[in-house]
Amino acid sequence: FLHNRGASAITVLAEDTAVANAALAVLAAARAADLAGIDRSAVRVQFPGERPGEHAKTLLGSLAEALGCTVSDAGQPPVANPAEALVNPVDMTELALGVSDFPLDLSMQYAVNSQLVRSFVPLILARAAQTAEDGQLRAALEPIIAHSDPLHAPEHDHYAARGFADIAPTEVEDFFIDGFLRAQYRPSKSFRLAQRAFGTKYSDHELLTWMRTFYGRFFATQFMRHDLPDGPRIGSAGLDLRDGFMMPTYAQGALWLDEVDALLARIGE
């Protein structure tokens, strides 16, 4: 990607995503810079807007310092620069739920985490910390791994107004994603497996309410995923057309939602 673009600098857009996602993107960008012969000082972590908060900026700033990268707290979104590659840290769970998007020119971006469900990211960071020889890098990664970043609907989210506001804990959303994308289970089978997987941790009503939100948001936001920027193929299932995900742009989720509604009616009897 860097070679094809002729890029001499890399910017990680560390906004509107989990701190762990941004951290993994920074690690990948630093490694890519090494392989491309780009000095790590040309790798920049940029905060284009008000998010993330100050604590997140501190965590990512420490990581950037440990890696020899730079930090830019820009008040405005970045301006497209032909010599600059933009790394978007959004994960597959955020894409599946439509809680994140891709600003600017898609051809300039590399979506390094777009084929990773959110649950995997801290595990990869933990492995990176475990194998790191640099003590400063390990010290920077540890609080990032421990940092909690629950999924949430963005402000002014109109899908919430349509009844799809109840976003599940990350482990549940990723469970639904795996059943739907990789195994292609019907809602009834995903529900039965979720009951076994989570036991009494969540009630049947919670699981089905979250499942309804998952299907509702997934189908309603499919148009946002129709033309994703480049990203690595990692797992056996993904959301990218290039990975063989052939869902139409405006697919309808009525069959899935009707089945979830029938399950909800049954447990309410």
Side-chain angles (χ1 to χ4, degrees):
F1 179 76
L2 295 174
H3 176 75
N4 290 340
R5 286 206 50 77
S8 58
I10 306 171
T11 294
V12 178
L13 303 175
E15 183 193 29
D16 201 27
T17 191
V19 173
N21 287 352
L24 184 56
V26 175
L27 286 174
R31 178 60 177 152
D34 294 343
L35 294 173
I38 299 172
D39 193 273
R40 285 191 178 187
S41 62
V43 177
R44 180 176 51 157
V45 184
Q46 184 159 325
F47 308 109
E50 296 179 356
R51 295 189 62 217
E54 291 304 318
H55 180 56
K57 290 179 181 180
T58 300
L59 293 175
L60 292 171
S62 297
L63 177 62
E65 181 181 354
L67 291 169
C69 305
T70 59
V71 174
S72 173
D73 194 356
Q76 299 295 328
V79 177
N81 180 349
E84 182 179 39
L86 302 179
V87 178
N88 196 310
V90 61
D91 63 51
M92 187 161 73
T93 308
E94 291 173 325
L95 286 174
L97 295 171
V99 298
S100 189
D101 57 11
F102 292 95
L104 306 178
D105 183 358
L106 293 179
S107 66
M108 295 184 61
Q109 298 188 47
Y110 192 78
V112 70
N113 300 329
S114 63
Q115 303 301 308
L116 274 176
V117 291
R118 196 183 189 94
S119 301
F120 284 177
V121 176
L123 300 178
I124 297 172
L125 292 178
R127 178 62 178 170
Q130 203 175 46
T131 57
E133 298 179 358
D134 185 345
Q136 185 182 1
L137 177 57
R138 285 197 305 273
L141 284 171
E142 286 168 0
I144 292 174
I145 296 166
H147 182 75
S148 176
D149 251 328
L151 288 161
H152 65 279
E155 190 177 2
H156 309 304
D157 176 60
H158 67 274
Y159 302 110
R162 292 167 58 180
F164 305 130
D166 297 313
I167 294 178
T170 300
E171 61 179 354
V172 179
E173 293 293 356
D174 289 347
F175 188 90
F176 292 155
I177 288 170
D178 179 74
F180 181 59
L181 290 182
R182 183 187 59 80
Q184 300 177 358
Y185 294 146
R186 290 178 52 167
S188 55
K189 183 165 184 176
S190 283
F191 174 54
R192 289 196 305 272
L193 292 174
Q195 287 176 307
R196 292 191 173 215
F198 299 112
T200 59
K201 188 173 183 179
Y202 307 113
S203 70
D204 288 351
H205 187 270
E206 284 177 316
L207 289 172
L208 288 172
T209 299
W210 291 332
M211 183 183 286
R212 193 179 195 284
T213 294
F214 166 72
Y215 287 121
R217 296 187 70 95
F218 188 92
F219 281 94
T221 60
Q222 169 59 12
F223 73 95
M224 297 168 59
R225 299 181 293 271
H226 189 64
D227 189 21
L228 293 176
D230 287 338
R233 176 68 185 267
I234 297 173
S236 59
L239 295 171
D240 196 330
L241 184 66
R242 292 180 291 270
D243 288 335
F245 186 65
M246 305 297 287
M247 181 177 285
T249 306
Y250 290 99
Q252 300 296 310
L255 290 174
W256 288 263
L257 291 171
D258 287 348
E259 187 166 325
V260 177
D261 286 341
L263 291 167
L264 277 166
R266 189 179 306 164
I267 67 167
E269 292 175 353

